[in-house]
């Protein structure tokens, strides 16, 4: 199976229009257009009944002590953890493409609604749900796609991995607020094939 995009190429920088936040000279960052990127796939395994799409950042800081702090930087050797940006399940086997902006076209304070989405799909909550939990203006359930917004003072560029899984299930046997780890566990024994596409993004001008 092959996964590709018209929005960026593998291992290249993700354009700012697909990011949750973009650089701003006055305040470090401002909100971006937050479009989901275009994705298409071919060479689907025989027997595929649905797809699952997961986008995650494997470079999120494991500690927030230095994150977005003036006069400090997030060290490159800090252990990193996964941050999930998009969980999309029950993608019909007949679908071979997602248009740019089809699932997300702006930043939605307090999160976009879910889990139901177009094409009969369902979307899980991404990790901005936990990130904004203590912010009265932003907290809520963040369903669907919300793009890159790495720490503006990080010492490394972040990678964003889009992985498409072909499954022998028509509907994933999970209900409610789906999370990335739960979906990964649920699909583990039903994967017929998978393909990944990786982009990079940084708010640090020295890493751009």
């Amino acid at each position: 199976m092959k996964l590709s995009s018209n929005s960026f190429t593998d291992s290249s920088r993700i354009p700012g229009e697909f990011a949750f936040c973009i650089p701003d000279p006055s305040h470090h960052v401002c909100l971006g257009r937050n479009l989901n990127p275009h994705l298409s796939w071919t060479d689907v395994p025989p027997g595929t009944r649905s797809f699952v799409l997961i986008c995650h950042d494997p470079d999120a800081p494991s500690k927030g002590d230095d994150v977005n702090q003036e006069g400090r930087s997030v060290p490159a050797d800090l252990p990193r953890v996964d941050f999930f940006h998009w969980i999309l399940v029950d993608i019909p086997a007949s679908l071979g493409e997602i248009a740019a902006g089809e699932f997300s076209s702006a930043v939605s304070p307090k999160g976009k609604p879910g889990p139901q989405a177009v094409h009969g799909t369902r979307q899980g909550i991404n990790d901005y749900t936990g990130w904004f939990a203590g912010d009265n203006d932003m907290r809520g359930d963040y369903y669907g796609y919300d793009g890159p917004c790495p720490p503006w003072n990080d010492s490394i560029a972040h990678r964003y991995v889009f992985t498409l899984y072909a499954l022998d299930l028509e509907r994933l046997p999970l209900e409610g607020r789906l999370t990335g780890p739960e979906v990964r566990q649920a699909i583990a024994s039903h994967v017929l094939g998978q393909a990944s596409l990786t982009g990079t993004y940084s708010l640090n001008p020295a890493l751009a």
Side-chain angles (χ1 to χ4, degrees), residues 43-49 192:
D43 299 339
V44 175
T48 297
R49 299 181 66 192
L192 297 174

Side-chain angles (χ1 to χ4, degrees), residues 146-198:
D146 284 301
C149 189
W152 51 258
N153 64 338
D154 208 333
S155 301
I156 66 171
H158 285 220
R159 296 163 293 163
Y160 296 84
V161 184
F162 293 80
T163 305
L164 184 75
Y165 301 88
L167 306 185
D168 60 3
L169 297 173
E170 187 171 334
R171 189 178 193 278
L172 200 68
L174 287 176
E175 303 296 335
R177 297 165 77 252
L178 311 180
T179 67
E182 289 172 343
V183 169
R184 278 180 173 172
Q185 184 175 4
I187 69 176
S189 60
H190 297 278
V191 175
L192 297 174
Q194 69 183 73
S196 294
L197 179 68
T198 300

Side-chain angles (χ1 to χ4, degrees), residues 3-4 8 21-23 26 29 41 52 91 100 104 108 134 139 148 165 177 180 182 186 192 201 204 207:
L3 180 64
S4 60
F8 64 97
C21 59
I22 57 176
S26 300
V29 300
W41 48 93
V52 167
I91 304 170
S104 177
S108 300
R139 67 183 176 192
Y165 301 88
R177 297 165 77 252
E182 289 172 343
L192 297 174
Y201 194 76
N204 183 342
L207 301 174

Side-chain angles (χ1 to χ4, degrees), residues 29-59:
V29 300
C30 63
L31 296 179
R33 292 182 64 190
N34 201 40
L35 304 177
N36 69 269
H38 164 268
L39 295 168
S40 63
W41 48 93
T42 57
D43 299 339
V44 175
T48 297
R49 299 181 66 192
S50 70
F51 302 98
V52 167
L53 176 67
I54 294 177
C55 173
H56 80 287
D57 169 8
D59 300 313

Side-chain angles (χ1 to χ4, degrees), residues 64-133:
D65 299 359
D66 299 311
V67 169
N68 297 338
Q69 297 296 311
E70 293 284 356
R72 297 157 73 175
S73 63
V74 180
D77 61 355
L78 180 73
R80 304 292 170 141
V81 297
D82 287 344
F83 188 105
F84 290 90
H85 285 263
W86 197 7
I87 301 103
L88 181 63
V89 308
D90 303 341
I91 304 170
S94 58
L95 198 67
E97 186 173 36
I98 291 172
E102 185 173 12
F103 285 84
S104 177
S105 57
V107 171
S108 300
K110 300 184 182 295
K112 291 183 284 293
Q116 301 303 320
V118 297
H119 304 300
T121 61
R122 291 181 293 153
Q123 301 193 101
I125 57 168
N126 64 56
D127 282 340
Y128 284 109
T129 301
W131 177 256
F132 288 125

